[in-house]
Amino acid sequence: MKWFLSSLLLSVFTGLSSADLVGHGPRAIYPITERYVALVDSSIDAVLIVDNNAGGAVVGHYVLHDESVNDNPDRWVNPISITSCADCKHIFITNPFMFFKIALDKPLADMARSLDFSGFTQKSLISPVWYDGWNPKYQNDGNIRMVSAAADGSSGYMTHKSGGVFSFNPLSPSKEDPTAKHAIKIGEAGIEENDINGIHHTSSLKNIILTSSKYVHIVKTRDSDGNNPLDNDKVTAYKLPLDYHCDYLYGGTDMTFMDMVIIDDYAFVLGHPTPEKGQHNGVAIYRLTWDDDDEQWHNCVQIAGSGLKDAEWVDGSGKEARFSATVHDIDVLPTADSKSHIIVMPDTGNRAVRFIDVSYPVEAGDETDKVRVYSAPYNEHLYEVMYSSEASNAGMTPELAMASDGKSYYHGGMENLYTMNFNAAQDECARVGIGRVCTLPEIRARFARGQYPTPDGDDESWTTVWMNEDCASCHLADPGACESSDWGDEYKMIAIFRPVTGLEAQCVHNERPVDTYSMCCGVGGPAVLDGTYLTPKQQQQQQAKKAAGISFGVLIPFMLIGVAIYGVYMRKRAKPAWWPKFLRQDRREETGHAPHREVDLRGRDYI
């Protein structure tokens, strides 16, 4: 048993829904490093560790409930928030009724440095906790909201819809924590009841950001002497009226906001026009700018998403991008490059991690049209993998579902970069007898080995290929998986590899022409794709048919020339199985280690 409490007591804290929280999927995210994020996904009731560099591969998971209630989602934890810190040996999560801590054998940051999250799955332990300094009347009332810890562990706060803000020590989360108290009460500094949605520490750790449906309160947590005023019951807050600044974008239409983060002199806000009952218009990202002279925020502009159109899953420019409707959390991804600024979003309805690259508008100030959005689609049928009897009997885990080995075919070089939509890419694979475009798990396995087409044959170069992956999703009212799609049937994913950022995915319309290489997965067919579909030998055979009246004696020289040409053609290409070994110059082909070769690694492990 994972739990400290009896099953009867646990039922008080789990499985209860909140009318204010709709939609199941990834509800909150904690960026561990630039490469790894932790998120809570209520559709599978688990904490997942996602590798951003591997196209959203799950590299660690922890199920929040006991396996005895796998088939009873009413008894699941139903998480809505997550946080930790660099030196924290705990993860902190909330549901509407309780605060939880997950004990770790070492901090997530240490696991990230070692590239090993196996201990997270095997050694973690969850338990509910309510600190002695927190009034018990706020426990189990369905109004608990979000949680945030300072990056250095110096402070932690949990929000309560009707109670305000409660503090705790993330580095020593014992029930007797002397720092745990009711830090901000409703009514202090203009913070109103039923008005707190999101909470974040700023990167400077000088403030916390409390986001409500109409306002943001920026509360001071570090004064000029380095002390936290909240420790002395002094609440100082700056109130920012988001609706006043942003509703002009929609002609004064009422708006709802969920979360906000600050990067340099810019505030990035998650929100959308308040939907009418039954509507699910996707969220958008807005930017406000700080004016030092006026000492206030101003100039609200929309930089990503629509806010008015229905929920979708579309990547590309900020103007093109579309999100689902039930997102309520964003965060800032830590990056090694000081000029790289990326907002990370757990896209609830799409069951994916979305990245909004705002580097241009932060560094240049006015280039909001250069925002770029891409995805890490981690949900490889995880509900079925984790809870279906067939998958569990086969020993399947989320980590094992992320990659699929096998045989792939491709041909690089700038001359083989074509402008293709998805159907054209699929047709090319079919015409050469290889079957189909690769799926994301197949792409992951090959990219991990450096086996993919590039312009110059260098495994450190970029590439773009179509993937046989849908961008269809749905609004989930209950935990589980989509039985049918509400949007996205006409969208497919492309895989983009960059040496610095690794493998990323973008959802684009399947009829959109994209400059891509051909990369096909399956068995049979020739070893390479070169866009001509006929080898020199096949071309010669076609010519022979046209010249049927020519004598066989005349054809023999042509055949010898054709064989010689074919030998030259194949000199730097993957050889078929019958090719004489004494003509092979690259012995690595037999081991599967040579990049840019036909490879069949089923049963082997080179990742």
Side-chain angles (χ1 to χ4, degrees):
M1 292 289 289
K2 297 176 180 178
W3 302 89
F4 289 128
L5 300 183
S6 67
S7 297
L8 178 62
L9 187 55
L10 271 175
S11 66
V12 176
F13 303 128
T14 63
L16 299 172
S17 62
S18 170
D20 294 331
L21 297 168
V22 293
H24 284 273
R27 285 177 166 171
I29 197 163
Y30 167 68
I32 305 170
T33 62
E34 186 171 7
R35 178 170 181 174
Y36 297 106
V37 297
L39 59 86
V40 285
D41 189 323
S42 62
S43 69
I44 54 177
D45 205 41
V47 178
L48 303 178
I49 308 298
V50 174
D51 185 346
N52 304 332
N53 287 12
V58 173
V59 295
H61 79 284
Y62 182 76
V63 178
L64 298 173
H65 59 265
D66 190 78
E67 62 181 2
S68 64
V69 296
N70 276 353
D71 58 352
N72 185 9
D74 288 341
R75 295 284 302 280
W76 289 8
V77 169
N78 187 22
I80 62 173
S81 184
I82 182 172
T83 194
S84 190
C85 71
D87 296 322
C88 289
K89 295 190 70 173
H90 289 82
I91 293 174
F92 304 95
I93 68 171
T94 62
N95 71 8
F97 301 89
M98 194 57 187
F99 182 88
F100 299 86
K101 61 180 181 181
I102 302 174
L104 309 172
D105 67 327
K106 58 183 177 180
L108 291 175
D110 290 351
M111 298 183 199
R113 280 188 286 270
S114 65
L115 308 180
D116 182 9
F117 290 89
S118 59
F120 175 67
T121 299
Q122 300 165 3
K123 301 178 182 179
S124 300
L125 190 66
I126 186 172
S127 61
V129 58
W130 195 262
Y131 297 99
D132 291 342
W134 294 0
N135 193 323
K137 77 174 186 179
Y138 296 110
Q139 179 181 344
N140 194 32
D141 65 355
N143 289 321
I144 294 174
R145 288 294 175 265
M146 312 297 283
V147 62
S148 177
D152 63 357
S154 58
S155 64
Y157 298 98
M158 179 197 74
T159 62
H160 188 281
K161 185 176 179 180
S162 61
V165 180
F166 296 82
S167 64
F168 66 97
N169 182 355
L171 296 175
S172 182
S174 65
K175 189 175 183 297
E176 299 78 18
D177 176 8
T179 68
K181 67 176 185 176
H182 199 163
I184 303 176
K185 300 177 176 62
I186 291 296
E188 293 182 324
I191 299 173
E192 302 172 3
E193 188 174 4
N194 301 331
D195 208 29
I196 300 176
N197 293 326
I199 181 171
H200 286 288
H201 283 74
T202 59
S203 59
S204 67
L205 304 184
K206 294 180 179 180
N207 303 280
I208 54 173
I209 303 169
L210 304 177
T211 307
S212 73
S213 58
K214 305 297 179 188
Y215 300 90
V216 159
H217 294 85
I218 302 175
V219 182
K220 183 179 292 187
T221 55
R222 185 173 294 177
D223 60 21
S224 57
D225 296 325
N227 300 317
N228 186 345
L230 297 182
D231 292 342
N232 299 314
D233 301 323
K234 296 180 180 179
V235 182
T236 304
Y238 175 97
K239 188 174 184 179
L240 170 61
L242 295 174
D243 56 345
Y244 171 81
H245 287 282
C246 297
D247 66 6
Y248 81 93
L249 295 169
Y250 306 100
T253 299
D254 184 57
M255 296 186 68
T256 299
F257 301 94
M258 287 73 77
D259 205 6
M260 189 182 94
V261 294
I262 295 176
I263 303 176
D264 292 352
D265 291 332
Y266 302 99
F268 295 91
V269 188
L270 175 69
H272 57 177
T274 305
E276 296 182 7
K277 187 175 182 179
Q279 287 187 339
H280 296 287
N281 47 306
V283 298
I285 301 291
Y286 309 91
R287 190 195 74 171
L288 290 92
T289 304
W290 176 256
D291 189 312
D292 278 329
D293 294 333
D294 295 338
E295 295 189 345
Q296 64 178 352
W297 299 93
H298 66 100
N299 191 25
C300 179
V301 294
Q302 183 174 313
I303 64 166
S306 167
L308 286 176
K309 294 186 178 181
D310 289 342
E312 287 185 278
W313 186 355
V314 185
D315 292 307
S317 68
K319 185 177 180 179
E320 295 172 311
R322 298 291 181 267
F323 309 102
S324 68
T326 52
V327 183
H328 69 258
D329 186 41
I330 54 175
D331 213 326
V332 179
L333 195 69
T335 56
D337 184 354
S338 62
K339 294 185 177 181
S340 176
H341 309 284
I342 299 174
I343 296 171
V344 61
M345 170 198 293
D347 195 341
T348 310
N350 286 316
R351 263 69 66 188
V353 179
R354 309 292 297 279
F355 300 89
I356 302 97
D357 189 335
V358 296
S359 301
Y360 275 103
V362 169
E363 291 297 318
D366 57 352
E367 299 186 37
T368 56
D369 58 328
K370 292 187 178 180
V371 171
R372 190 174 68 90
V373 180
Y374 56 98
S375 298
Y378 68 85
N379 186 25
E380 295 296 331
H381 309 286
L382 291 186
Y383 181 79
E384 292 86 352
V385 166
M386 296 172 68
Y387 300 117
S388 71
S389 57
E390 294 81 2
S392 60
N393 290 337
M396 184 59 69
T397 66
E399 293 81 0
L400 292 176
M402 291 297 114
S404 176
D405 218 332
K407 186 175 288 188
S408 59
Y409 304 80
Y410 47 84
H411 196 71
M414 287 300 297
E415 69 276 12
N416 293 301
L417 184 67
Y418 298 101
T419 302
M420 298 183 288
N421 61 24
F422 175 78
N423 288 333
Q426 186 79 304
D427 289 345
E428 185 171 353
C429 290
R431 278 195 293 267
V432 295
I434 299 173
R436 58 176 174 74
V437 173
C438 302
T439 64
L440 176 55
E442 290 169 331
I443 290 290
R444 283 196 187 109
R446 286 140 185 82
F447 277 46
R449 292 192 300 269
Q451 292 164 337
Y452 49 85
T454 62
D456 52 9
D458 187 343
D459 294 337
E460 293 301 311
S461 297
W462 62 269
T463 194
T464 303
V465 297
W466 279 98
M467 294 190 290
N468 190 21
E469 293 286 343
D470 294 328
C471 299
S473 195
C474 72
H475 176 80
L476 278 178
D478 298 297
C482 296
E483 296 182 0
S484 61
S485 58
D486 293 337
W487 60 81
D489 291 327
E490 297 178 347
Y491 287 80
K492 290 284 187 179
M493 295 182 194
I494 57 173
I496 301 174
F497 177 83
R498 295 181 176 87
V500 175
T501 59
L503 175 63
E504 66 184 51
Q506 288 194 11
C507 281
V508 301
H509 198 282
N510 57 24
E511 295 183 358
R512 175 178 175 177
V514 180
D515 290 341
T516 62
Y517 286 102
S518 295
M519 187 165 183
C520 310
C521 290
V523 295
V528 295
L529 301 176
D530 61 6
T532 64
Y533 314 121
L534 292 177
T535 66
K537 186 175 181 180
Q538 291 171 326
Q539 293 173 4
Q540 180 209 1
Q541 291 172 344
Q542 293 293 324
Q543 293 296 326
K545 290 180 181 179
K546 294 180 181 179
I550 302 177
S551 67
F552 184 71
V554 175
L555 288 176
I556 289 178
F558 289 98
M559 293 176 65
L560 293 175
I561 292 173
V563 170
I565 293 173
Y566 186 59
V568 173
Y569 170 81
M570 293 295 292
R571 185 168 59 90
K572 293 184 179 182
R573 290 167 169 79
K575 301 359 177 242
W578 50 265
W579 195 264
K581 286 191 175 183
F582 71 89
L583 293 178
R584 293 177 183 262
Q585 294 182 349
D586 190 350
R587 300 296 180 185
R588 294 178 298 166
E589 283 186 309
E590 300 172 15
T591 70
H593 283 293
H596 311 295
R597 298 290 189 269
E598 174 196 31
V599 182
D600 187 349
L601 298 178
R602 285 169 291 183
R604 308 179 192 177
D605 183 8
Y606 291 104
I607 299 178

